[in-house]
């Protein structure tokens, strides 16, 4: 008897990659032009705001175009940049392996899918730099609706949880659930949704929780539409976003890759020197509130901006591969061959080794007053509380670091605990509860009460 063929459905993230390929075909070339007039196509994610030094901020500053004009004077070519904005990394990868995007920025899990898809379709890509990173993993957060009865990860068992499969935030969800003894596939009802769809699902009640990357958790918390349930910083595993380049394009246009990295380095310097102005520029370009952008991208923000390919980040990338393979989203990935620091080393010269070792980051505790174009920094939450109490009505945003994970959050959205004379902030009720269990004399207090005690 003839065998009936078995239909296999591609996992959602894989399907997201394959559909654009079917539409665009393979083997194209984003580098449009006649040799003397070249268009460089850059795929970026405007609202994934820790990629801004390779996307939104870089575009607004015009640094890449400036570098290309200088490159054109050297090689006699006229360059134009075509910026293409996407919601996630998957469509950028699809366009890259189809030869339609030359340079792209995305998170660590999408970067691995980018590497795997490029190799599979014989259109290899290379990771050439990092945009923003967090050594603890705090760029991803699981949130619930305000007033939710869900207090910790075990409460998610059997619940509807929205996530973008194949994203870094989904990796956080999978790891966090496993750590809590919950099967990430069978223990919850996972809704594979784009970030905006998931945010709507949380508001409508069709999702009990949402696991997402920047800036969605902070945005929803700032708007009073969500509260943090789980801080990715509790994983103590680095997460980052980076820049990937088509290998064929880099081989033909190495000067363009060098120009891009030079521009990215300048955008990083600008962000560090002018953090408030940079946040406001990104806010104007994306429609995000400046206070939310600054939560992540500010001087003491959740993300550290540094283009260098640090060993800690590459090691974390290798640990991500088994998670994607377990979800049947990819096969083996040779991370070492995917990483190419040659261009970045050439850009830094002798400074590169020291830059790779540096993980310096300013204090997370800051207050931004209305009408000011700078922030006030503090060495702990006590200083923040006293300053806010003395400037009631004029505070635009106040930021504090979780007392256990160090992750930055809005002071008025944090969970506060009084332990003796100390007032301590926590990003989630779970971390606050853990502190209360270990310190029997400690007591929960409201933010208003914390301000009163700090006066």
């Amino acid at each position: 008897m003839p065998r009936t063929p078995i239909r296999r459905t591609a996992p959602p993230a894989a399907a997201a990659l394959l559909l654009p390929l079917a539409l665009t075909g393979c083997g194209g070339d984003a580098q449009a032009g006649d040799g003397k007039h070249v268009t460089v196509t850059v795929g970026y994610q405007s609202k994934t705001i820790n990629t801004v030094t390779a996307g939104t901020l870089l575009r607004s500053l015009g640094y890449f175009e400036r570098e290309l004009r200088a490159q054109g004077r050297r090689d006699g070519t006229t360059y134009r940049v075509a910026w293409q904005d996407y919601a996630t990394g998957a469509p950028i990868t699809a366009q890259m392996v189809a030869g339609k995007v030359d340079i792209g920025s995305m998170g660590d899990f999408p970067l691995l899918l980018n590497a795997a898809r490029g190799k599979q379709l014989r259109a290899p890509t290379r990771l050439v730099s990092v945009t923003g990173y967090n050594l603890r993993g705090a760029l991803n957060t699981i949130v619930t609706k305000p007033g939710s009865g869900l207090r910790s990860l075990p409460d998610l068992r059997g619940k509807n949880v929205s996530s973008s499969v194949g994203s870094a935030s989904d990796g956080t969800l999978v790891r966090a659930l496993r750590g809590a003894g919950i099967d990430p596939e069978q223990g919850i009802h996972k809704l594979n949704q784009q970030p905006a769809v998931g945010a709507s699902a949380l508001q409508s009640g069709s999702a009990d929780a949402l696991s997402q990357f920047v800036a969605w958790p902070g945005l929803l918390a700032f708007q009073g539409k969500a509260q943090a349930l789980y801080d990715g910083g509790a994983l103590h595993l680095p997460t980052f976003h980076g820049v990937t380049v088509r290998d064929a394009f880099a081989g033909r246009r190495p000067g363009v890759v060098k120009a891009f990295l030079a521009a990215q380095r300048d955008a990083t310097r600008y962000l560090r020197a002018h953090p408030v102005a940079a946040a406001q520029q990104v806010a104007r370009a994306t429609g995000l509130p400046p206070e939310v952008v600054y939560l992540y991208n500010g001087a003491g923000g959740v993300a550290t901006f540094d283009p260098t390919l640090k060993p800690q980040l590459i090691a974390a990338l290798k640990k991500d591969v088994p998670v994607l393979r377990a979800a049947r989203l990819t096969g083996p990935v040779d991370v070492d061959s995917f990483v190419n620091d040659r261009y970045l080393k050439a850009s830094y010269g002798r400074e590169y080794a020291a830059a790779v070792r540096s993980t310096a980051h300013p204090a997370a505790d800051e207050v931004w007053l209305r009408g000011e174009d700078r922030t006030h920094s503090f060495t702990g939450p006590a200083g923040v509380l006293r300053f806010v109490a003395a400037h009631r009505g004029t505070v635009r945003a106040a930021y504090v670091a979780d007392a256990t994970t160090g992750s930055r959050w809005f002071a008025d959205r944090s969970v506060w605990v009084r332990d003796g004379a100390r007032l301590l902030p926590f990003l989630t009720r779970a971390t606050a509860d853990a502190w209360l269990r270990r310190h029997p004399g400690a007591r929960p207090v409201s933010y208003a009460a914390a301000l009163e005690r700090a006066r």
Side-chain angles (χ1 to χ4, degrees):
M1 293 180 63
R3 294 183 180 179
T4 303
I6 299 175
R7 294 186 178 182
R8 298 188 184 275
T9 303
L17 290 172
L18 294 174
L19 179 58
L21 287 179
L23 295 176
T24 62
C26 187
D29 193 345
Q31 183 190 294
D34 56 9
K36 290 298 181 181
H37 298 82
V38 173
T39 296
V40 182
T41 304
V42 179
Y44 73 111
Q45 303 171 62
S46 64
K47 291 190 177 180
T48 306
I49 56 173
N50 61 316
T51 66
V52 295
T53 53
T56 307
L57 181 62
L58 178 62
R59 181 179 183 178
S60 69
L61 292 170
Y63 287 170
F64 187 32
E65 289 82 353
R66 180 200 65 192
E67 291 294 327
L68 286 178
R69 285 193 294 271
Q71 177 66 26
R73 288 192 291 271
R74 289 190 293 269
D75 62 18
T77 302
T78 300
Y79 294 97
R80 184 180 76 86
V81 183
W83 297 89
Q84 295 184 0
D85 189 4
Y86 297 89
T88 62
I92 298 177
T93 288
Q95 295 299 312
M96 289 187 76
V97 297
K100 305 299 182 183
V101 166
D102 301 309
I103 302 170
S105 57
M106 59 194 70
D108 40 18
F109 275 68
L111 281 169
L112 290 170
L113 295 174
N114 183 277
R117 197 68 67 214
K119 182 177 181 180
Q120 176 189 3
L121 297 177
R122 298 180 182 178
T125 57
R126 302 288 180 238
L127 174 63
V128 294
S129 70
V130 169
T131 56
Y133 71 86
N134 184 282
L135 289 178
R136 288 173 173 258
L139 295 174
N140 307 307
T141 310
I142 302 172
V143 298
T144 62
K145 290 186 71 171
S148 166
L150 306 177
R151 295 187 69 92
S152 62
L153 284 171
D155 295 333
L156 290 181
R157 195 183 301 274
K159 301 298 184 182
N160 295 324
V161 182
S162 176
S163 180
S164 300
V165 173
S167 72
S169 58
D170 191 56
T172 292
L173 175 64
V174 169
R175 284 193 169 101
L177 290 174
R178 286 177 178 170
I182 301 173
D183 187 308
E185 299 301 325
Q186 305 299 322
I188 63 169
H189 302 293
K190 186 183 290 188
L191 309 176
N192 182 19
Q193 297 172 324
Q194 292 288 318
V197 176
S200 296
L202 184 69
Q203 299 313 302
S204 70
S206 59
D208 299 295
L210 170 72
S211 180
Q212 274 304 339
F213 46 79
V214 297
W216 289 95
L219 173 63
L220 294 173
F222 180 76
Q223 294 174 332
K225 297 178 179 178
Q227 63 185 29
L229 177 80
Y230 182 81
D231 168 16
L235 288 174
H236 298 280
L237 183 67
T239 184
F240 71 98
H241 284 65
V243 176
T244 180
V245 177
R246 288 195 300 118
D247 204 32
F249 174 80
R252 287 194 302 273
R253 299 285 178 182
V256 173
V257 178
K258 293 175 183 177
F260 186 89
L261 294 179
Q264 185 193 346
R265 288 186 65 196
D266 281 348
T268 303
R269 293 188 190 99
Y270 179 88
L271 185 148
R272 290 174 177 172
H274 310 284
V276 172
Q280 291 171 327
Q281 284 180 261
V282 172
R284 285 192 296 270
T286 62
L288 291 167
E291 299 88 344
V292 173
V293 178
Y294 198 84
L295 170 71
Y296 295 105
N297 292 12
V302 180
T304 300
F305 286 88
D306 181 347
T308 60
L309 292 158
K310 301 182 184 302
Q312 305 97 307
L313 304 182
I314 305 309
L317 202 60
K318 292 177 179 179
K319 292 179 181 179
D320 292 339
V321 175
V323 178
L324 287 171
R325 294 195 68 184
R328 300 184 300 278
L329 293 174
T330 186
V333 180
D334 185 347
V335 172
D336 289 327
S337 67
F338 177 52
V339 176
N340 185 343
D341 61 2
R342 176 166 62 92
Y343 300 103
L344 207 53
K345 283 181 175 178
S347 178
Y348 275 82
R350 293 180 180 178
E351 300 175 4
Y352 190 71
V356 166
R357 290 192 298 270
S358 175
T359 56
H361 190 75
D365 303 292
E366 291 183 85
V367 179
W368 188 0
L369 295 181
R370 300 184 190 280
E372 292 191 352
D373 58 2
R374 68 188 228 8
T375 60
H376 302 263
S377 298
F378 302 88
T379 56
V384 171
L385 290 172
R386 285 193 296 270
F387 190 84
V388 170
H391 294 82
R392 290 177 185 256
T394 63
V395 175
R396 185 167 186 170
Y399 309 96
V400 290
D402 184 290
T404 52
T405 66
S407 300
R408 171 146 115 164
W409 203 238
F410 296 108
D412 61 344
R413 298 291 188 257
S414 296
V415 181
W416 287 86
V417 167
R418 177 173 60 83
D419 189 356
R422 295 186 297 171
L423 291 164
L424 305 173
F426 298 88
L427 199 152
T428 69
R429 289 188 288 181
T431 50
D433 288 344
W435 184 277
L436 291 169
R437 287 193 297 269
R438 294 194 302 270
H439 302 81
R443 295 289 182 270
V445 295
S446 67
Y447 180 56
L451 289 175
E452 286 301 319
R453 295 189 66 88
R455 292 174 65 89

